[in-house]
Amino acid sequence: MGAKDSSPHDFAADESRLYRRVARALIDDLQSGTYTVGDRMPAERDIAARLGVSRPVVREAMLAMEVLGLVEARLGSGTFVIRLPGDREEPAFTVSPFELVEARLLFEGEAVALAAQHISDDEVQRLERLVSAMQHENAKEDGEENADMAFHMTIARASRNAAVERTIEQLWLLRSTSPECRLLLEKARTANVRPVVEEHAAIVAALKMRDPAAAKAAMHAHLGAVLQHLLFALEEEAVAAARQSVEATRQRFQRP
């Protein structure tokens, strides 16, 4: 049985996020019997060509399907069907990591511009300490990313706007509660994607100068890079290479 025909025009007519439409089209394929349990899903480039979307959109859709328990990404082998959806099953999408970063671009970009006008010397010094803490956390194999959240929340508080602060706090809460966000964070850590110290240092430098435009530009540059890092973490080859590198290092140090 061939895959259902889904044209780019069909997707453009839908008001929902594009990755959700791609995921629904692939779920339709599973429900119609195009693929069954154990089958390998087509390569993302082939799905992208068939549905007329970009490969990053396909990656986002496959992540959502993985969260739904329909497929499983196996390093070096591809993505395989592990469960078929019921005929009446409706996918329950949450907030995707890419939607979250888009929202952060909107709110944190404006928050840092406000912070540049109100931030205290003590808060600037706290940010500098948090940048150093990030560097220490990055050096640990299983290091957490507490300094990253504390950094961004310090800026949110420095905006001196309680509504902005609470909104950004909720966005960071979604980062840890959305299943899709949590799964991608796990993949990012596996691919050795960590907070970039230099990007955060550039934000601090702009805040130290009390320059709203420079601070906003630095925040946008940082969050734009975050999007690219997340896409990198979804590349199977990148994850596999990172794991092999970690294993090779571990074996080297275990030798007598």
Side-chain angles (χ1 to χ4, degrees), residues 54-73:
S54 67
R55 291 174 67 170
V57 169
V58 174
R59 289 179 202 164
E60 197 173 0
M62 295 300 284
L63 181 73
M65 291 182 66
E66 195 170 352
V67 167
L68 293 170
L70 299 173
V71 299
E72 177 183 70

Side-chain angles (χ1 to χ4, degrees), residues 155-174:
I155 292 173
R157 282 191 291 275
S159 72
R160 305 293 185 257
N161 184 306
V164 169
E165 181 183 349
R166 290 185 65 178
T167 299
I168 292 172
E169 185 177 28
Q170 287 300 309
L171 291 175
W172 275 84
L173 180 63
L174 279 171

